[in-house]
């Protein structure tokens, strides 16, 4: 359901967990997630930055592409820590995305509790609420900071012409794509992403 490769891209939730500030949708803790949406992430992003520098201290050029929709809830704090951040916004049909996310969460919930105690309707309602609030906060942030930091990548366009869309991303970063870079970035695009430099 969720592909992981040993040397491939992965979201940065594990780094946020180190300061106990990850959204943790994979567990049935809706009230925690509601609290998390409004918690102060300032120190979390400072530690996040420290961990990225540690992980890449011998692997220049010290640029990162982090991908995860949970950053939508705390973009002001993220930008305060990474003032040069640029945002790659990927867009998928919510009619397909929300059931897909619910299916993933339902499977996760089943790993530690019986299927019959999971309220699928409540799960769907919560996930819809959560994603809606995240998109609203993202749009408010974008309205405040302007569109210059953003590029929009639509799922259908990416599937039709992935390398063309990657060229657009490189253009935002004012970089040129070589053959190696094209391959690596094609695999990274797929969730709201933030390009940051350290």
């Amino acid at each position: 359901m969720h592909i992981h490769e040993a040397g491939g891209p992965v979201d940065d939730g594990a780094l946020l967990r180190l300061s106990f500030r990850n959204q943790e949708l994979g567990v049935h803790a809706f009230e925690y997630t509601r609290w998390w949406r409004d918690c102060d992430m300032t120190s979390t992003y400072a530690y996040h930055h420290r961990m990225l520098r540690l992980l890449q201290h011998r692997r220049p050029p010290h640029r990162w592409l982090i991908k995860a929709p949970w950053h939508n809830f705390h973009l002001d704090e993220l930008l305060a820590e990474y003032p040069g951040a640029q945002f790659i916004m990927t867009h998928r049909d919510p009619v397909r995305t929300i059931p897909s996310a619910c299916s993933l969460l339902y499977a996760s919930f089943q790993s530690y509790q019986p299927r019959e105690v999971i309220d699928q309707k409540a799960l769907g309602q919560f996930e819809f609420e959560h994603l809606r609030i995240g998109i609203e906060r993202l749009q408010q942030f974008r309205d405040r900071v302007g569109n210059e930091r953003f590029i929009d990548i639509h799922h259908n366009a990416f599937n039709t012409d992935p390398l063309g869309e990657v060229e657009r991303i490189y253009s935002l970063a004012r970089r040129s794509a070589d053959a190696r870079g094209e391959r690596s970035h094609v695999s990274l695009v797929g969730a709201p992403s933030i390009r940051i430099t350290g």
Side-chain angles (χ1 to χ4, degrees):
M1 289 186 113
H2 195 63
I3 299 167
H4 294 286
E5 298 175 4
V10 68
D11 61 49
D12 59 341
L15 297 183
L16 301 179
R17 274 187 204 108
L18 294 173
S19 58
F20 302 99
R21 291 285 198 277
N22 189 35
Q23 72 175 349
E24 303 300 352
L25 284 182
V27 297
H28 191 249
F30 298 160
E31 289 310 308
Y32 167 81
T33 302
R34 288 185 176 108
W35 167 84
W36 171 85
R37 289 178 196 152
D38 297 307
C39 73
D40 183 355
M41 294 284 282
T42 304
S43 63
T44 299
Y45 280 118
Y47 198 60
H48 181 271
H49 195 174
R50 183 178 178 191
M51 289 296 101
L52 286 179
R53 290 192 310 265
L54 173 66
L55 290 170
Q56 203 177 20
H57 76 286
R58 292 188 179 179
R59 299 185 68 184
H62 306 294
R63 282 187 295 271
W64 305 290
L65 183 67
I66 57 174
K67 67 174 196 75
W70 47 74
H71 294 297
N72 291 348
F73 294 90
H74 301 283
L75 289 168
D76 288 305
E77 291 126 314
L78 185 143
L79 188 59
E81 183 63 34
Y82 300 105
Q86 296 171 302
F87 302 91
I88 304 163
M89 299 311 306
T90 57
H91 301 274
R92 292 182 63 197
D93 180 356
V95 173
R96 298 182 69 177
T97 303
I98 294 171
S100 175
C102 289
S103 174
L104 181 64
L105 295 179
Y106 182 63
S108 176
F109 288 5
Q110 289 180 63
S111 68
Y112 64 88
Q113 62 186 343
R115 178 182 301 191
E116 57 272 12
V117 302
I118 303 169
D119 185 340
Q120 293 183 54
K121 183 176 180 182
L123 172 61
Q125 290 172 335
F126 175 79
E127 184 63 8
F128 178 75
E129 166 197 311
H130 189 64
L131 293 175
R132 178 186 52 79
I133 292 170
I135 293 298
E136 287 172 356
R137 291 193 184 178
L138 164 69
Q139 190 58 56
Q140 292 163 3
F141 173 80
R142 191 168 179 169
D143 289 344
R144 285 194 309 276
V145 303
N147 284 320
E148 298 75 23
R149 294 176 178 268
F150 287 84
I151 186 169
D152 294 286
I153 304 292
H154 295 271
H155 190 70
N156 292 339
F158 185 77
N159 285 336
T160 302
D161 182 19
L163 294 182
E165 294 299 290
V166 168
E167 287 286 351
R168 291 181 57 229
I169 293 168
Y170 271 90
S171 177
L172 174 71
R174 294 180 178 87
R175 298 176 52 83
S176 61
D178 59 20
R180 182 176 174 215
E182 288 173 351
R183 285 194 301 275
S184 66
H185 280 78
V186 166
S187 65
L188 289 173
V189 176
S193 303
I194 302 137
R195 177 186 173 272
I196 54 181
T197 58

